[in-house]
Amino acid sequence: KKLLYRLNQIIIVIILIASLVSIIMFIFQVSFSFYSGDTLLRQGFLENRLFGVYTSPNTGALFVVISISAMLINSTIKYNGKIKLCPLYVINLIVQTIYLSLTLSNGGALTLTAFLAVFSVVWIFPKLLSKYSAKKAVPAAILAAAALIFCCNVVIIPAVRYGMSYIPSIVNMLGQSKPTDDPSQQDPDDPELPNHNIQKVEMERIESGDDASNGRSIIWSGSLKALAQHPLFGYANMWLSEGDATKFDTSLLSEAEQTWLYKHNGNLHNAYVQVAVYSGVIGLILFVALGVLLFQKVGRVLICGKKETTQYQLLALLFSIIVAIAANGLVEAHLLYTRQDPYGAIFWIYVGLA
């Protein structure tokens, strides 16, 4: 418990600082991009979304959910199974809500939805079941899950996003100096004059053409075509940049598939496709088997364990965030074969603790 508490405190503070800096970048409309090797890195508010100090709005949104779960876990440890947020955690919750609203991340929404759904099943439902019959507890838990998901994704986050869209203009207006000369003698088109019109920052996802997956479906189809050439053990790695030697015939891939795979430097944006392509069907079977064993072990405790204990509450929260990150794996690749990846590291630490 002590190790888990310290780890979560570090995670919470780092994510809080990163999100605060990111929000400040949005307020003052700070943005820039640069190349690290062949990889283009974008920082700040770009493409109508907030990257902030993260490499992507999607990874930043994933960290938001991890931060929230870490707060709940630490609260459970500190207050013996009860969730009470200290002032630092309340501030962090507000900051993370603001940052998440500005990312416009569908992957973040999926991760948060998965977390809230599992949390409702393994944490809220047992508490309802201890007070009411199963006939009342089941629909109440379903209603609670639906209400949490609806309020977060449909009410709170869009409302915060709408309000924040006016903040940069307001801050800019307040920061402009007032003219000291006679207003009647000033040119209204003078760019030096302060602008007193509050303008809304445009925040709308920019997709790749008509592809709602933003290129992911093309990446997956190309990856599976490559896997079909060596299905048992895969390739250990896809190519990193155009011109690299590959172990598969790239001519069997369409031009769009090659372009997207080159563009993303071997990141397949799906943890399970990535495990399959990088380690073959054999590797995917081993990975799935590990997941099944984990679910079997943890599930047995969640079903048969004493629901009122702190240990059960901790395991329920750990299980919720593990499943949430696993759900995020449907649209992002952080679990394996992604080199230095803090998201994958946190996932496997939580799995080990569970």
Side-chain angles (χ1 to χ4, degrees):
K1 289 181 186 178
K2 187 179 293 185
L3 174 64
L4 178 59
Y5 188 90
R6 289 176 178 174
L7 170 66
N8 283 337
Q9 283 292 87
I10 294 171
I11 291 173
I12 291 166
V13 171
I14 291 176
I15 297 175
L16 173 59
I17 294 172
S19 297
L20 273 173
V21 174
S22 299
I23 293 170
I24 292 171
M25 295 177 78
F26 168 77
I27 291 175
F28 293 98
Q29 293 292 280
V30 176
S31 62
F32 57 92
S33 60
F34 61 95
Y35 278 93
S36 176
D38 295 330
T39 304
L40 176 63
L41 297 178
R42 293 161 290 181
Q43 305 278 262
F45 186 75
L46 294 163
E47 301 175 6
N48 298 348
R49 303 172 65 189
L50 182 58
F51 287 70
V53 297
Y54 294 103
T55 57
S56 164
N58 296 323
T59 53
L62 173 56
F63 255 159
V64 169
V65 183
I66 291 175
S67 176
I68 292 172
S69 68
M71 290 193 302
L72 297 179
I73 291 170
N74 276 12
S75 176
T76 299
I77 294 174
K78 186 175 181 179
Y79 298 108
N80 297 319
K82 297 180 181 179
I83 294 179
K84 298 179 181 180
L85 299 184
C86 65
L88 174 64
Y89 288 2
V90 173
I91 293 171
N92 185 53
L93 182 61
I94 294 171
V95 169
Q96 299 310 325
T97 301
I98 294 173
Y99 176 76
L100 181 61
S101 72
L102 299 175
T103 63
L104 281 74
S105 172
N106 291 334
L110 171 64
T111 309
L112 180 61
T113 298
F115 178 81
L116 294 175
V118 178
F119 177 77
S120 299
V121 172
V122 300
W123 202 91
I124 296 178
F125 175 66
K127 291 186 178 298
L128 292 172
L129 195 60
S130 65
K131 297 180 180 180
Y132 309 103
S133 65
K135 289 183 179 180
K136 293 182 178 179
V138 171
I142 294 174
L143 183 62
L148 282 172
I149 294 169
F150 179 83
C151 287
C152 289
N153 291 331
V154 181
V155 179
I156 297 175
I157 292 176
V160 172
R161 181 186 303 136
Y162 180 81
M164 287 298 298
S165 66
Y166 290 97
I167 297 300
S169 179
I170 294 174
V171 171
N172 181 58
M173 183 183 68
L174 294 175
Q176 289 176 331
S177 59
K178 296 181 180 180
T180 56
D181 299 331
D182 184 0
S184 62
Q185 302 297 321
Q186 293 178 343
D187 181 1
D189 296 326
D190 186 351
E192 298 298 327
L193 285 177
N195 181 7
H196 296 291
N197 295 323
I198 299 177
Q199 298 177 343
K200 184 174 181 285
V201 175
E202 184 66 27
M203 284 189 282
E204 185 176 350
R205 286 177 58 95
I206 300 176
E207 308 293 2
S208 300
D210 297 326
D211 184 3
S213 71
N214 208 17
R216 284 175 172 80
S217 60
I218 299 174
I219 294 173
W220 300 337
S221 64
S223 302
L224 295 176
K225 287 180 182 178
L227 175 63
Q229 299 179 40
H230 296 279
L232 285 181
F233 297 103
Y235 301 100
N237 196 358
M238 295 287 280
W239 61 75
L240 297 179
S241 59
E242 193 169 358
D244 287 354
T246 59
K247 296 181 180 179
F248 53 91
D249 185 1
T250 58
S251 65
L252 298 179
L253 279 63
S254 69
E255 183 177 346
E257 290 168 342
Q258 292 186 44
T259 299
W260 275 96
L261 284 167
Y262 286 140
K263 179 179 179 180
H264 288 272
N265 299 325
N267 182 351
L268 306 185
H269 287 280
N270 184 303
Y272 310 103
V273 172
Q274 186 136 331
V275 170
V277 172
Y278 280 39
S279 58
V281 176
I282 300 298
L284 181 61
I285 290 174
L286 292 173
F287 180 75
V288 172
L290 177 64
V292 171
L293 291 173
L294 173 68
F295 271 70
Q296 183 182 29
K297 177 184 176 181
V298 176
R300 186 185 301 115
V301 178
L302 292 176
I303 293 173
C304 304
K306 295 181 179 180
K307 309 298 190 293
E308 67 277 5
T309 63
T310 302
Q311 285 77 5
Y312 175 88
Q313 308 297 330
L314 285 176
L315 189 59
L317 289 168
L318 280 171
F319 184 72
S320 298
I321 188 58
I322 289 171
V323 174
I325 299 176
N328 179 268
L330 295 172
V331 292
E332 296 290 334
H334 298 296
L335 306 187
L336 285 174
Y337 302 110
T338 52
R339 297 185 179 86
Q340 297 80 14
D341 194 323
Y343 319 93
I346 291 172
F347 172 80
W348 289 109
I349 289 172
Y350 282 160
V351 167
L353 290 169

